[in-house]
Amino acid sequence: MSTVPHLRPSPITPTADFERDGVQHGFLRLPYSRDDSAWGSVMIPICVIRNGNGPSALLTGGNHGDEYEGPLALYDLARTLDPKHVSGTVIIVPAMNYPAFRAGTRTSPIDKGNLNRSFPGRPGGTVTEKIADYFQRELLPRTDIALDFHSGGKTLDFVPFCAAHIRPDKVLEAKGFAAVEAFSAPWSMKMLEIDAFGMFDTAAEEMGKLFITTELGGGGTSRAETVRIARRGVLNVLRHAGIVAGAVEMQPTRWLDMPSGDCFSFAEDDGMIETMIDLGEPVEEGKVLARIHSIGRTGAAPQEIRARMSGLLAARHFPGLVKAGDCTAVVAVLVD
Ligand SMILES: [Zn+2]
């Protein structure tokens, strides 16, 4: 065995065979020795649906443990997708960061790992780093198209959109936007990240993979509408990729762009947030998006959060209290 740490084999053992035809419901078994289970494991659910040679899709939810549209759509798809309607392979991991998902938290209760900031991961690292490493070295390489579901979690809420990133490779970029269009969320986003380092998205894109993602709502729950969007979207993407038979059920979508870091607004004080406009409403540059009221004393003027560009409100802070540094609002520009 190699002594170079990142060349060690992954400690994760899949109980499903990626080359076998049919439906397999199994686990990614990750050894995790602890007080209540000396030789215990984390059992991450995985479903492999294969029907002969063909393209391969990797469908993931629960990268953050408090986002529910992806897991709802993916547990459902794993239960219902008939391999007779598949050409190629569909790998479904509905709850990637399973310890976080079980706890209903964004990050893992085991090591506080944010899986979407842990790539490329380490085979000898924390539990979260081991999960990242397995996706980096075992699952992404066997993928043609990856769809990673996100929502706002407990602290953000979004207008429902599917997204791909601006990419240096314009052919891959166009393929990404075409897949986003096929997903057919009410909104489609040319997405900018606050900090892309360590993200699953970045790992997939650096490997030259087609990668799309979503933000479908938030608040630590789901809504009937956003779950419907997720279920329709995942099937549409599989049809678009030629993996599931049938025509894409196209729905009207409106494209949004995040042209610069001026999209994001952050709180500079702790306090109670008053949202001044609602998600999806138009925004003029300079308009007050939210006010943050001091709660430690009476008589203090609220901090005003003003839009630094015109567009529409694409995301907002969800809980009623904010801390300095919290992202309070995201403005996106409507693309004609
Ligand atoms: Zn997320």
Side-chain angles (χ1 to χ4, degrees):
M1 190 185 292
S2 170
T3 54
V4 180
H6 70 277
L7 293 181
R8 283 180 192 158
S10 171
I12 292 179
T13 305
T15 69
D17 179 349
F18 298 111
E19 310 302 330
R20 193 202 299 169
D21 277 353
V23 180
Q24 299 168 78
H25 299 287
F27 302 96
L28 303 174
R29 191 176 58 76
L30 191 173
Y32 171 44
S33 177
R34 56 198 192 270
D35 286 344
D36 65 351
S37 189
W39 286 9
S41 302
V42 174
M43 303 288 272
I44 303 166
I46 185 170
C47 173
V48 179
I49 302 174
R50 185 180 188 276
N51 184 11
N53 292 325
S56 174
L58 177 60
L59 309 174
T60 49
N63 183 335
H64 293 128
D66 59 350
E67 304 171 4
Y68 295 98
E69 283 84 356
L72 283 165
L74 293 179
Y75 279 104
D76 194 45
L77 185 72
R79 190 170 50 77
T80 55
L81 183 59
D82 186 335
K84 282 204 301 286
H85 301 141
V86 170
S87 312
T89 306
V90 180
I91 299 173
I92 303 170
V93 184
M96 274 176 102
N97 194 347
Y98 189 63
F101 185 69
R102 284 294 300 266
T105 51
R106 181 173 179 82
T107 63
S108 175
I110 297 172
D111 51 31
K112 290 289 163 197
N114 179 342
L115 181 57
N116 215 28
R117 302 293 183 276
S118 299
F119 281 81
R122 289 188 302 149
T126 63
V127 164
T128 305
E129 288 170 332
K130 287 171 177 168
I131 297 171
D133 171 71
Y134 188 80
F135 276 82
Q136 174 84 30
R137 289 193 297 151
E138 302 294 339
L139 295 183
L140 279 178
R142 58 174 73 248
T143 298
D144 295 305
I145 180 167
L147 164 58
D148 187 35
F149 278 101
H150 287 261
S151 304
K154 287 175 179 164
T155 64
L156 292 172
D157 196 12
F158 286 87
V159 294
F161 64 79
C162 184
H165 296 109
I166 303 284
R167 296 178 68 162
D169 181 329
K170 293 302 163 190
V171 174
L172 276 172
E173 180 186 284
K175 285 184 178 176
F177 291 155
V180 167
E181 192 109 21
F183 188 98
S184 284
W187 302 95
S188 297
M189 183 72 84
K190 297 179 178 182
M191 196 159 180
L192 177 72
E193 301 293 346
I194 292 176
D195 178 10
F197 190 80
M199 293 179 71
F200 183 40
D201 317 43
T202 307
E205 289 169 1
E206 285 180 350
M207 223 179 272
K209 302 298 181 181
L210 191 49
F211 184 92
I212 65 171
T213 183
T214 70
E215 297 290 357
L216 290 178
T221 186
S222 62
R223 290 184 289 116
E225 182 209 5
T226 54
V227 177
R228 278 196 297 272
I229 293 166
R231 289 196 171 129
R232 181 183 67 219
V234 68
L235 267 179
N236 270 349
V237 167
L238 291 174
R239 293 177 185 130
H240 172 79
I243 297 174
V244 164
V248 173
E249 262 183 57
M250 288 297 255
Q251 297 285 321
T253 188
R254 300 187 77 186
W255 276 90
L256 299 170
D257 191 10
M258 296 166 70
S260 78
D262 283 348
C263 297
F264 304 103
S265 300
F266 300 92
E268 294 183 0
D269 292 303
D270 295 5
M272 176 170 59
I273 190 165
E274 177 189 6
T275 302
M276 302 298 285
I277 70 165
D278 285 322
L279 285 178
E281 287 187 353
V283 169
E284 293 295 317
E285 185 181 338
K287 183 176 170 133
V288 179
L289 299 172
R291 302 197 296 178
I292 298 174
H293 299 270
S294 173
I295 53 175
R297 58 180 304 154
T298 59
Q303 181 205 338
E304 292 182 335
I305 307 278
R306 288 179 184 274
R308 290 186 290 159
M309 63 168 62
S310 297
L312 64 82
L313 190 68
R316 52 158 285 197
H317 190 269
F318 190 78
L321 297 181
V322 293
K323 291 183 292 304
D326 286 353
C327 181
T328 50
V330 179
V331 173
V333 175
L334 197 56
V335 180
D336 291 326

